[in-house]
Amino acid sequence: MKSYHISILLFVLILSSGCNDQYRQLASEKKAKNVILLIGDGMGLAQASTAFYFQKEEPNFVRFPVIGLHRNPPSEALITDSAAGATAFSTGYKSYNAAIGVDADSISRETILEIAARKGKSTGLIATSSITHATPASFYAHVPHRNLEEDIASQLPSSPVDFFAGGGLQFFTQREDGANYLDTLASRGYVVNPQKLERPGNLSLEHKYGYLLAPEGMPKMQEGRGDFLPQATQLALDYLGQDKDGFFLMVEGSQIDWGGHDNDAEYVIQETLDFDKAIGVALDFAEKDGNTLVIVTADHETGGMSLSAAKVRMQSDYRHINPTFSTGGHSASLIPVYAYGPGSGFFMGIYQNNEIFGKMLRAFRLK
Ligand code: MG
Ligand code: ZN
């Protein structure tokens, strides 16, 4: 009798809960035609918080109605690298550190980008690292170790990536096997620009586009990278947005991680502010489009960064922030996930990093 009363009470609670209504609306009433996944490599909560303290404008992070947290240990350790982290997002499998698009047994697993392409969607990848670096590579390549960047490059021409922009030219042109993979890209229908992010006169889905704008990583913001990341994001959206079947786009702010490894707060801040601009471009598109899910997250935190108070004569000065770091490597903290648009409700709560794969597929109605 008692449990009967409890069931009734629960039922009434669920029916009357406004939160539940909102969840239904966010999660399941509408299908996402497009998914934009933005990954700030090494961007824990402290790094993202710098966008609230070190620029005058309101950060684009405030535009997300849904926030969750992901747990990110890889298959064989407590702290992940970017390869296992991105492979968890891209394939749904927890794998070992250094794994690119393969599971813990080194078996290749189909990625969200490959699935989206198989279902007729267009696809894009943008990074401020080389396009063969761990994070972007995990969406199109399948190799047992992230250091195999020439092998990763050789897999790009036959991948279903329609648009890519980043660095990494040397892995296509100055290779140990002497091959020139720019030629291979051209023979596979890519219009490749190794000079600058130039908008083609006729930006058409009949072509594929590649921009390889640095030998390895792109320059730092502090070295004059300028608006590459937000502009490449805009260009990709102008191109991919033409597909009536939708698209999948991954945009990486790669160097937030590199600033963390260097324990260089200014490096982290400038890369985070740049990433925030790219987030704004994605959200502007999604607001206008109405059928686009935008997810922002990181693979892990880097540097054990803390927004500490400045120290003046051994005292904390609470009026000023002087970021500090606790490690030159990655840390184990849970990582925020910010979501906007149809299916965003799936991203509430606390879950494993590899569940993000299934959540994106569910938003797409491909699962
Ligand atoms: Mg990365
Ligand atoms: Zn790192």
Side-chain angles (χ1 to χ4, degrees):
M1 201 58 187
K2 227 175 199 160
S3 70
Y4 172 77
H5 280 294
I6 290 171
S7 315
I8 296 252
L9 182 65
L10 274 176
F11 182 67
V12 170
L13 272 176
I14 288 167
L15 270 189
S16 61
S17 154
C19 180
N20 193 55
D21 285 350
Q22 194 189 10
Y23 180 83
R24 257 202 318 263
Q25 202 174 17
L26 289 165
S28 53
E29 274 175 7
K30 198 169 171 187
K31 141 181 176 176
K33 179 180 157 199
N34 314 310
V35 173
I36 308 171
L37 172 63
L38 298 109
I39 301 175
D41 198 313
M43 188 187 68
L45 192 52
Q47 286 82 355
S49 299
T50 66
F52 290 76
Y53 290 108
F54 294 95
Q55 68 180 342
K56 287 205 186 71
E57 302 93 71
E58 189 80 329
N60 287 296
F61 286 100
V62 301
R63 297 167 66 181
F64 290 96
V66 174
I67 312 290
L69 291 170
H70 74 67
R71 307 162 64 170
N72 41 79
S75 60
E76 87 312 0
L78 292 177
I79 299 180
T80 189
D81 80 339
S82 299
T87 294
F89 299 153
S90 70
T91 69
Y93 286 84
K94 292 254 188 194
S95 194
Y96 56 92
N97 283 337
I100 301 289
V102 299
D103 68 14
D105 299 316
S106 298
I107 295 166
S108 294
R109 295 294 178 178
E110 193 175 32
T111 72
I112 178 101
L113 183 149
E114 292 164 335
I115 294 168
R118 182 158 58 72
K119 298 291 182 179
K121 296 180 185 291
S122 292
T123 68
L125 291 176
I126 300 169
T128 55
S129 62
S130 63
I131 204 70
T132 49
H133 209 262
T135 310
S138 296
F139 287 82
Y140 67 88
H142 305 273
V143 297
H145 200 286
R146 57 184 293 166
N147 289 353
L148 301 168
E149 283 195 74
E150 292 189 1
D151 292 344
I152 292 167
S154 71
Q155 292 183 14
L156 184 55
S158 52
S159 80
V161 177
D162 297 303
F163 179 103
F164 63 86
L169 182 62
Q170 71 172 44
F171 302 108
F172 296 82
T173 56
Q174 287 164 326
R175 302 166 50 89
E176 274 188 31
D177 62 9
N180 185 331
Y181 272 88
L182 285 196
D183 296 344
T184 316
L185 283 165
S187 74
R188 295 284 188 145
Y190 286 91
V191 179
V192 181
N193 191 325
Q195 249 105 42
K196 59 179 175 182
L197 192 76
E198 204 168 41
R199 177 175 294 262
N202 169 26
L203 188 68
S204 155
L205 289 173
E206 298 192 352
H207 303 291
K208 298 186 274 188
Y209 298 96
Y211 296 88
L212 292 168
L213 305 180
E216 288 192 69
M218 297 289 291
K220 299 178 185 184
M221 283 308 288
Q222 294 157 300
E223 294 167 349
R225 188 170 76 236
D227 277 340
F228 163 77
L229 192 62
Q231 278 182 14
T233 304
Q234 187 64 60
L235 183 57
L237 292 173
D238 292 346
Y239 169 65
L240 299 170
Q242 299 174 43
D243 194 329
K244 288 182 194 65
D245 301 315
F247 64 81
F248 173 82
L249 172 65
M250 194 288 295
V251 178
E252 187 198 20
S254 317
Q255 299 193 30
I256 300 167
D257 174 68
W258 301 356
H261 282 294
D262 288 353
N263 287 3
D264 181 338
E266 195 52 32
Y267 191 0
V268 170
I269 291 165
Q270 293 309 321
E271 296 299 325
T272 302
L273 297 184
D274 177 56
F275 186 59
D276 183 55
K277 285 205 185 92
I279 293 172
V281 170
L283 285 173
D284 289 349
F285 175 90
E287 276 179 6
K288 241 186 259 161
D289 177 71
N291 298 300
T292 301
L293 169 65
V294 180
I295 305 148
V296 174
T297 191
D299 41 6
H300 54 73
E301 194 278 340
T302 305
M305 189 185 192
S306 170
L307 299 189
S308 318
K311 282 260 191 268
V312 180
R313 278 180 250 108
M314 307 293 281
Q315 301 270 16
S316 291
D317 174 1
Y318 282 178
R319 295 166 307 170
H320 297 104
I321 293 165
N322 185 21
T324 52
F325 297 87
S326 64
T327 172
H330 301 167
S331 74
S333 65
L334 273 64
I335 293 292
V337 180
Y338 314 80
Y340 173 94
S344 54
F346 293 137
F347 295 86
M348 290 194 259
I350 301 179
Y351 40 84
Q352 295 287 348
N353 57 356
N354 58 322
E355 292 180 58
I356 288 174
F357 168 82
K359 291 175 189 294
M360 291 189 292
L361 280 187
R362 255 188 287 161
F364 264 149
R365 294 287 185 280
L366 294 177
K367 189 184 175 184

